[in-house]
Amino acid sequence: MRISRAKAVVGIAALVLLAAGCGSGDNGTGGTGSDVTLTVSRWAGPAAEAEVQLLKDFTKQTGIKVRVDAIDYAQLKQKQTLAAQNKTGDYDLLYVPEAWYQEYNKAGYLVALDQYLDAADKADFNSTALDITSSGGKIYGLPDFLQSPLLVYNKDEFAAKNVQVPKNWDELLAAAKVFKDKGTGIAFPGRQGSAVVDVLSVVAKGDGGGLFDAGGKLALTSQPVVDSAAFLTSLMKQSLDGSAGWHYDETTKAVQFGQAPLAICVSGLFSVAEDPAQSKVAGKLGYAPIPYQQTAAGLLATWSYSIPVGSKHEKEAYQLASWLTSKDTQVKMIQAFPGHLSLRTSVFDDPSLAAKAPWLPAVKETLANATTPPLSANGAKLTDALGAGMNGLFVKGGDPAQMLQSVQQQLASDF
């Protein structure tokens, strides 16, 4: 689940070592000088490359040098946990996805950050994102990045067919049918895997429910989840041919090359569809929450910066994490890599980003009612089983309630 979603964001996966320049001295910003070098562990790709360029400013401001160990997602956790278990001090900052925090905190890998984080700064972060990194009432990570699925549509195609932007399930089914009857339809990520589970989670949240109940128990047989699975099964019937085998990469390409007039895509790939050098529809796209029954909903698939126990430069590491997640740096990061989405509330209203990232208003609307991917160590089991079940409904048909009951029973001992 996490691997496929990470690929959708970074686009490439390679073992690289990137440096953030040298610099020296302290320019009055609290730096400790050029004798300190921090090493950051994170995944590779365009986001890492953009970050490295920004880190040159951090070095100029503080005199602190930074090395970025940017590697393939599939090896990232292994390297982080090995360093944390042995307290080697190899890393001063870890880039951690939401699904790893429960394990890392239970194992005692991370340093609590409450002593450094002031109230005003804390208030600007998305509160649910902070909760993801927290354990025992303490905060162990500063939220940096999120991705979430949205409805993406071609404004010209909608105008030509006199189709309004859908807000609820019936309207989305009707809009998709208009285009299906004309030979296209909605591009939907129906392949077994994380995307279809993400979308089901968001749709259920928008119907007042979720994959888990208020007490954290698996709730696949709850009415909102059953209804959401049935709705998505109906939506697949109005999809572009091949959608049952697609993930986010394919739905984005269908929009990007003008094949699909509407689609469910993930935010990390929006910038590709808006790039005139890569897209036939750049500047023609609109963005909206996935249609809902009660309230617009989103997904908090997040990455946050944490300090591992054993860091040789804990204070400087927090200084770097704070700088990376500050509003100013977050705005610059989006300007450099529009696929970046911040978890700072104030960033969404920055006027300099309106043209660069036109999806921000829709994302902001969904974050007030956002769910998370499965956070427990058994989350991958749920994604595999539920993804297979949903894909089975799309390809072979069947009763959504029975499928969900089967998966609930199959995973009863794991949740």
Side-chain angles (χ1 to χ4, degrees), residues 77 99-100 102-103 106 374-382 414-415:
K77 186 178 182 184
W100 300 351
Q102 288 192 12
E103 178 182 346
K106 184 177 181 180
L375 300 178
S376 77
N378 291 320
K381 292 183 179 180
L382 175 58
D414 294 312
F415 293 93

Side-chain angles (χ1 to χ4, degrees), residues 4 25-26 29 34 46 83 141 148 156 161 220 259 263 273 340 396 402:
S4 58
D26 182 348
T29 57
S34 58
S148 186
D156 290 351
K161 299 293 189 297
L220 301 184
Q259 298 167 332
H340 184 89
K396 301 176 182 178
Q402 290 181 359

Side-chain angles (χ1 to χ4, degrees), residues 103-128:
E103 178 182 346
Y104 280 20
N105 284 331
K106 184 177 181 180
Y109 291 161
L110 306 178
V111 173
L113 306 180
D114 303 75
Q115 61 177 315
Y116 301 113
L117 184 59
D118 65 60
D121 210 28
K122 178 179 177 181
D124 195 32
F125 286 114
N126 180 280
S127 60
T128 303

Side-chain angles (χ1 to χ4, degrees), residues 126-146:
N126 180 280
S127 60
T128 303
L130 281 176
D131 289 343
I132 289 171
T133 76
S134 299
S135 178
K138 294 184 178 180
I139 295 170
Y140 290 86
L142 296 186
D144 175 73
F145 167 83
L146 77 100

Side-chain angles (χ1 to χ4, degrees), residues 3 32 40 93 101 142 149 153 216 222 314 353 393 402:
I3 293 176
T32 58
V40 181
L93 213 56
Y101 268 102
L142 296 186
Y153 59 95
S222 64
E314 183 179 312
L353 301 177
L393 292 176
Q402 290 181 359

